[in-house]
Amino acid sequence: MGILCSKFIEWVIEPPAALPRMRLGPESSDNPLMLQFFTWEAKHHELSWWKHLEAELPQLTKMGFTQIWLPPPNKAAEKDGRGYDAYDLWDLGEFKQKGLVETRWGSRKELLSACNAAKNHGLDILIDAVLNHKIGADRVERFPAVPVDEQNRLKDIGPEREIEGWTAFDFLGRGEKYSKLKWTQEHFTGVDWDHKTREKRIFRITGPGHKGWSRRVDRELGNYDYLLGVDIDHRHPAVQEDFLNWGPWILKTTGASGFRLDAIKHIDRRFLLNFVQSTRERSGNMKMFTVSEFWSGNLKMILPYIRSFKGETAFFDVPLHMNFYNASIQGFEFDLRHILRDTIVSVKPNDAVTFVDNHDTVEGQSLQSWVASSFKLQAYAIILLRGHGHPCVFYGDLYPNPECYDEIIGAGLKLLIEARKKFAYGQIREYLAARNCIGFVRPGDETHPGCAVVISNLNRSESFVHTLRMNVGIRYAGAIFRSFMQHGGRVEIDQTGWGIFSCFANHVQVWVPLEGA
């Protein structure tokens, strides 16, 4: 009884981790891997984006990817909108709304064809769910509102007055197919435009039925319920009903296995937890995958959210991304022994989805914090080969594109992805040798050989070589390891499993058993 009580108390205090209870891809002995299949400016010169995705599926499967994170598939406010300017979640490129039938990414038919092909190739699809706001209303409405301080949303800076806001969503192209809800000002908490006075500022909608900002959101700027566009009131019963119906519908329609939840620090936590739990239950997919974007480099700000979601969602490891960014900016002055300090993966590895960059971190974007090429492959080696957290590769680093692609990085990234699939197995042993050179060993498992990895951020001439003595295990006694990132290197392993592994300055090197090539 005492043991059971202790375990119950431990569960209450420390909720279950997210990743072990979720599907990370088809059942396989190989490592799972996610790919974000888009950039902000992504377009194909010949195909729709969905057709481009379908054409790439065989190669992505071969490379070892198990999940594909799609851009928002819903109808956007603008003809060329990415879907984050969400107009109609129920329109996947089926109805003529906002000037065209297709979304930026293609038609509903093309989307469903790509999703079905992904399933046939053993790849899971993840839907980017934009549940925080709407943009692109069909007409204005008049209602009372109060202007608030943009730096402190809890502070009113003027009296209540009547404004005109773009808050009426009629969906004339779709009618009542899939959903009958027509959104009006009663379904929202705030806007950032008074059409009557042509004034741009944040207004909190008041009047009958309105409850103000949700209190169950991040406290940045006093209260961070409002982000952009027309802010949705997730406490409204009709809103909840519409979203709770949409969740299972989008999974069933596309065959997707889960979600990436956008901008959750601005969404009522109680609603969002209910959305995830309800969708999991109503879809019948108890291993539904969910990862949330809570954008903060401060681990202390994220940990309460991880706890409050009770293992229902993993979280993108933004603090780790910021460490990578800072390491790329500081160069050899950054101590590699601290690269995992104050990150989700260091304290809650089974709640962390690790990444190096994404569509928002590219130079010129809203969350610009691009990891420079000088540290890009080192960062990818850390998330792909260490074995902690669930890694996500960015399309912009893998595929040629005018926005952010580096050919050398792309070639090296493909090798690291291959190394993950073939060699990154077994309990990690770390060698934090020096501030500018660290290493680790993955000894392999019953079906995969292992690897040894050396990482440097030392700014020296290309001829400078680090050496690091590491033990790969007695199973490799007398074996030869070869360099995987470049040709020609060899390391002899002694009878106790030790070898001296090298790496050029400011590079990463992966060493693998010669017979495992």
Side-chain angles (χ1 to χ4, degrees):
M1 185 60 128
I3 295 176
L4 289 176
C5 183
S6 174
K7 286 189 175 294
F8 175 75
I9 293 173
E10 181 182 339
W11 183 87
V12 172
I13 297 175
E14 192 66 33
L19 293 176
R21 62 189 301 216
M22 298 192 297
R23 175 183 166 103
L24 306 183
E27 292 296 328
S28 171
S29 61
D30 291 343
N31 286 318
L33 182 59
M34 184 194 303
L35 172 64
Q36 178 186 354
F37 197 83
F38 64 100
T39 67
W40 186 256
E41 300 292 347
K43 275 197 171 182
H44 194 274
H45 63 284
E46 292 180 347
L47 305 173
S48 76
W49 198 251
W50 301 141
K51 283 186 172 293
H52 170 45
L53 167 62
E54 186 167 351
E56 293 299 315
L57 293 173
Q59 180 62 25
L60 295 177
T61 301
K62 184 178 179 181
M63 292 176 72
F65 288 101
T66 58
Q67 292 175 319
I68 306 295
W69 160 20
L70 302 184
N74 51 272
K75 185 61 60 69
E78 301 290 335
K79 289 184 178 181
D80 214 24
R82 283 77 179 166
Y84 294 106
D85 52 335
Y87 170 70
D88 186 1
L89 295 186
W90 298 90
D91 183 357
L92 305 179
E94 181 180 2
F95 308 99
K96 187 169 184 180
Q97 300 189 115
K98 295 302 167 185
L100 74 172
V101 174
E102 297 82 3
T103 68
R104 175 190 180 92
W105 314 111
S107 69
R108 181 182 192 270
K109 182 179 178 180
E110 291 168 341
L111 167 64
L112 300 190
S113 176
C115 290
N116 185 62
K119 183 177 181 179
N120 292 337
H121 281 89
L123 284 159
D124 286 355
I125 293 295
L126 304 178
I127 299 295
D128 201 326
V130 184
L131 308 179
N132 176 71
H133 54 267
K134 284 189 172 296
I135 299 178
D138 298 304
R139 53 190 173 84
V140 298
E141 296 180 294
R142 292 184 177 182
F143 47 83
V146 174
V148 301
D149 187 338
E150 292 198 13
Q151 300 305 311
N152 180 3
R153 311 296 174 72
L154 298 177
K155 180 182 178 182
D156 297 347
I157 56 174
E160 181 182 80
R161 71 186 202 223
E162 183 181 80
I163 69 170
E164 291 183 353
W166 289 92
T167 52
F169 292 77
D170 301 320
F171 310 124
L172 295 178
R174 176 169 58 81
E176 295 187 351
K177 189 173 183 180
Y178 306 129
S179 169
K180 294 182 179 180
L181 181 63
K182 310 299 181 184
W183 295 66
T184 65
Q185 57 87 20
E186 71 173 290
H187 303 116
F188 301 105
T189 61
V191 296
D192 66 353
W193 177 254
D194 179 3
H195 194 67
K196 183 177 181 181
T197 62
R198 301 296 197 272
E199 183 180 8
K200 184 171 178 58
R201 67 166 62 248
I202 298 175
F203 294 90
R204 187 183 73 254
I205 302 175
T206 56
H210 287 283
K211 304 175 183 178
W213 308 125
S214 169
R215 295 190 300 273
R216 292 180 288 269
V217 295
D218 187 56
R219 295 180 181 178
E220 187 178 347
L221 302 179
N223 177 290
Y224 219 171
D225 189 355
Y226 186 87
L227 174 64
L228 56 85
V230 191
D231 188 69
I232 294 172
D233 186 354
H234 298 91
R235 299 159 297 182
H236 194 289
V239 169
Q240 293 186 1
E241 180 182 6
D242 200 60
F243 279 145
L244 295 181
N245 287 335
W246 178 82
W249 173 84
I250 191 70
L251 295 186
K252 181 179 180 180
T253 299
T254 61
S257 64
F259 297 98
R260 179 260 189 187
L261 300 178
D262 182 58
I264 72 158
K265 68 195 296 184
H266 312 282
I267 301 175
D268 185 279
R269 288 190 297 272
R270 181 180 294 174
F271 158 77
L272 206 54
L273 179 60
N274 185 30
F275 172 81
V276 175
Q277 292 174 330
S278 173
T279 302
R280 177 176 283 116
E281 182 176 346
R282 291 176 59 183
S283 68
N285 181 7
M286 301 312 293
K287 300 190 76 174
M288 182 183 83
F289 181 89
T290 308
V291 59
S292 295
E293 180 217 23
F294 183 102
W295 196 266
S296 173
N298 187 342
L299 178 65
K300 292 180 180 179
M301 301 296 291
I302 302 173
L303 287 176
Y305 264 73
I306 295 177
R307 187 181 302 277
S308 68
F309 277 91
K310 306 175 183 178
E312 295 288 348
T313 176
F315 285 77
F316 281 112
D317 198 341
V318 179
L320 179 62
H321 158 75
M322 295 307 300
N323 283 359
F324 291 155
Y325 171 67
N326 290 329
S328 76
I329 297 300
Q330 296 174 24
F332 70 91
E333 294 182 356
F334 188 93
D335 191 333
L336 288 179
R337 295 170 296 187
H338 301 157
I339 194 68
L340 300 180
R341 177 174 287 181
D342 295 329
T343 62
I344 300 175
V345 76
S346 68
V347 298
K348 289 185 172 294
N350 285 324
D351 290 298
V353 173
T354 56
F355 70 103
V356 177
D357 274 307
N358 67 25
H359 61 293
D360 281 329
T361 67
V362 177
E363 292 181 5
Q365 296 303 328
S366 59
L367 301 173
Q368 176 179 320
S369 47
W370 185 249
V371 177
S373 295
S374 60
F375 197 73
K376 180 78 73 167
L377 291 181
Q378 293 93 319
Y380 269 115
I382 289 169
I383 72 168
L384 291 173
L385 304 182
R386 289 189 74 259
H388 295 149
H390 180 47
C392 179
V393 173
F394 179 42
Y395 180 100
D397 289 325
L398 187 62
Y399 281 86
N401 66 88
E403 201 173 345
C404 54
Y405 183 69
D406 182 310
E407 186 175 0
I408 295 175
I409 298 301
L413 177 54
K414 288 179 181 178
L415 288 172
L416 291 174
I417 291 170
E418 182 180 355
R420 173 179 175 80
K421 181 179 181 181
K422 292 181 176 179
F423 307 109
Y425 300 90
Q427 187 68 35
I428 189 172
R429 290 197 292 269
E430 302 198 67
Y431 295 83
L432 305 180
R435 63 180 295 115
N436 298 124
C437 181
I438 61 173
F440 58 87
V441 169
R442 303 290 301 281
D445 60 19
E446 294 179 356
T447 57
H448 301 90
C451 62
V453 181
V454 185
I455 296 172
S456 165
N457 71 341
L458 189 63
N459 185 18
R460 291 281 187 90
S461 67
E462 292 187 2
S463 62
F464 182 88
V465 177
H466 296 275
T467 57
L468 186 56
R469 187 170 181 262
M470 298 190 291
N471 192 299
V472 294
I474 197 69
R475 68 182 281 195
Y476 297 111
I480 302 293
F481 272 53
R482 70 174 181 90
S483 57
F484 190 73
M485 302 297 286
Q486 295 96 18
H487 295 295
R490 294 289 187 272
V491 172
E492 295 183 10
I493 308 302
D494 70 18
Q495 293 304 309
T496 57
W498 289 93
I500 298 177
F501 299 91
S502 62
C503 176
F504 289 111
N506 209 34
H507 282 77
V508 59
Q509 184 56 272
V510 180
W511 296 89
V512 301
L514 187 60
E515 65 272 19

